[in-house]
Amino acid sequence: MVILKILVINAGSSSLKYQLFDTEQHLVLAKGVCERIGIDGGHIKHTPTGKPAMEEDNAMATHADAIRRVIELLTSTVISSMHEIDAVGHRVLHGGAEFSGSVLVNDDVKAAIRRCFPLGPLHNPANLTGILACEEAMGNIPQVAVFDTAFHQTMPDYAYMYAIPYEYYEKYKIRRYGFHGTSHRYVSAKAAEFLGKDPSELKIITCHLGNGSSICAVDGGKCVDTSMGLTPLEGLPMGTRSGVLDPAILETVMKNENITDISDMLNILNKKSGVLGISGISSDFRDLIAAKQDGNERAALALKCFTYSIKKYIGAYAAAMGGVDAVVFTAGVGENNATLRAEAVEGLEFMGIAIDEAKNNTRGTVDVTANGAKVRTLVIPTDEEFVIASDTEEIVRAL
Ligand code: AMP
């Protein structure tokens, strides 16, 4: 089967983001987002490539309604019929230990995504809703599920095991899973390509730094450790997420603040913590940089906590792998902010890591390594949607 056009879907509980790819020409034909599905104030923004964005208020009762409208928008702007779409690729947050790669969706896969609901209670039900909505709106079109966790399934047990009673792992599957797997997989492979080496020869640390941030140790092309855990809450301090902390803090805060429901506490750790929590200003790194420049000390502290944590993970993962050949920065902050990149590796010259200031001030895929530094430091833009489209193409092409 010749695959030409693939619709990539990222379904949230009340939203649906989409991109239509022409894989033959390596083009994004259109992208957009449907918001407030199933609630008042439904809204769609549709952007056909090279044409002005279209916005409309549209009450969408279900995700299937949203998909049907997306197809109308696509057929009125960039394709002539729904039948031009060959396959759909879905971002699915949590594949638990069930999936170590992308798969064609069938009844077993849907059941397995459902089994992972307890591990990804906010995202997995929405991701499955997106799959079912496409079935409803597009008939039996081939669909592929691409999991955020899959790339990390190669971690050894001593890296994914938490030191709590073992039966919790057995009964409730509590272990490290890791996220942003499509991004870590993509940028680590691109780094090997950039360096002209086979991935099997390289030890790479990939730093995905955006609103959500995670770091991954990739040894010989395989993930051996990563900073996010059972959920995307662990690891670095993020925009609004706390990252790693002493679990006993929960009891102290709950007692003192009269918080009786653990989900309220988790809401604080997920939505009110991270650099927003420390600074009290914003979760957006650009706002924090501006505030720091204006002399705001808490914004400066939040940024320092962030870059210090990145540095600690780089050190830890170099130790875990017994060395490092390349450090890769990607995602919103990692791709765009030279200062934070420089701060994150400051003082790591002893490990052979150093950034050249002039090279660091360029954009795109760039080698920012200082002359003489043994470890290559690269900036590589991530493209998770592209990975979903190409996995989908590969799987459906083989049918
Ligand atoms: P992402 O989650 O990958 O889309 O990244 C979003 C984050 O990247 C936001 O916190 C933005 O503030 C941040 N970001 C984008 N551009 C820059 C920049 N030039 N400097 C610092 N942060 C940036």
Side-chain angles (χ1 to χ4, degrees), residues 160-315:
Y160 70 63
M161 192 59 62
Y162 289 113
I164 56 174
Y166 192 79
E167 61 262 31
Y168 299 153
Y169 165 64
E170 292 177 309
K171 286 200 278 192
Y172 313 120
K173 302 176 181 158
I174 293 174
R175 48 158 283 183
R176 175 181 312 288
Y177 289 99
F179 298 86
H180 294 138
T182 40
S183 177
H184 291 295
R185 170 159 68 104
Y186 176 75
V187 297
S188 58
K190 280 272 164 204
E193 202 180 300
F194 186 90
L195 298 172
K197 295 244 168 93
D198 193 88
S200 64
E201 301 170 52
L202 292 169
K203 296 177 191 300
I204 303 177
I205 298 172
T206 47
C207 307
H208 178 110
L209 311 175
N211 248 327
S213 295
S214 68
I215 302 201
C216 185
V218 185
D219 195 350
K222 295 200 166 90
C223 166
V224 293
D225 208 344
T226 191
S227 59
M228 284 178 166
L230 173 75
T231 75
L233 185 54
E234 195 186 339
L236 301 162
M238 308 177 211
T240 61
R241 288 177 231 156
S242 64
V244 82
L245 44 68
D246 179 347
I249 290 170
L250 275 67
E251 187 191 23
T252 308
V253 173
M254 289 177 81
K255 272 188 183 156
N256 284 300
E257 294 278 315
N258 290 322
I259 299 168
T260 51
D261 189 341
I262 188 69
S263 52
D264 291 336
M265 184 69 235
L266 281 172
N267 195 44
I268 292 170
L269 297 180
N270 271 305
K271 305 245 170 83
K272 297 183 178 166
S273 299
V275 291
L276 168 68
I278 298 173
S279 68
I281 291 178
S282 172
S283 64
D284 191 303
F285 283 84
R286 286 165 295 199
D287 296 343
L288 295 177
I289 290 160
K292 180 183 168 180
Q293 278 159 0
D294 289 344
N296 187 299
E297 285 178 14
R298 271 172 56 190
L301 176 62
L303 292 169
K304 187 73 192 172
C305 290
F306 179 67
T307 54
Y308 176 64
S309 182
I310 298 166
K311 186 184 303 186
K312 286 206 294 186
Y313 274 105
I314 292 174

Side-chain angles (χ1 to χ4, degrees), residues 6-18:
I6 289 170
L7 183 61
V8 171
I9 300 279
N10 184 353
S13 55
S14 64
S15 70
L16 188 142
K17 293 190 195 128
Y18 62 91

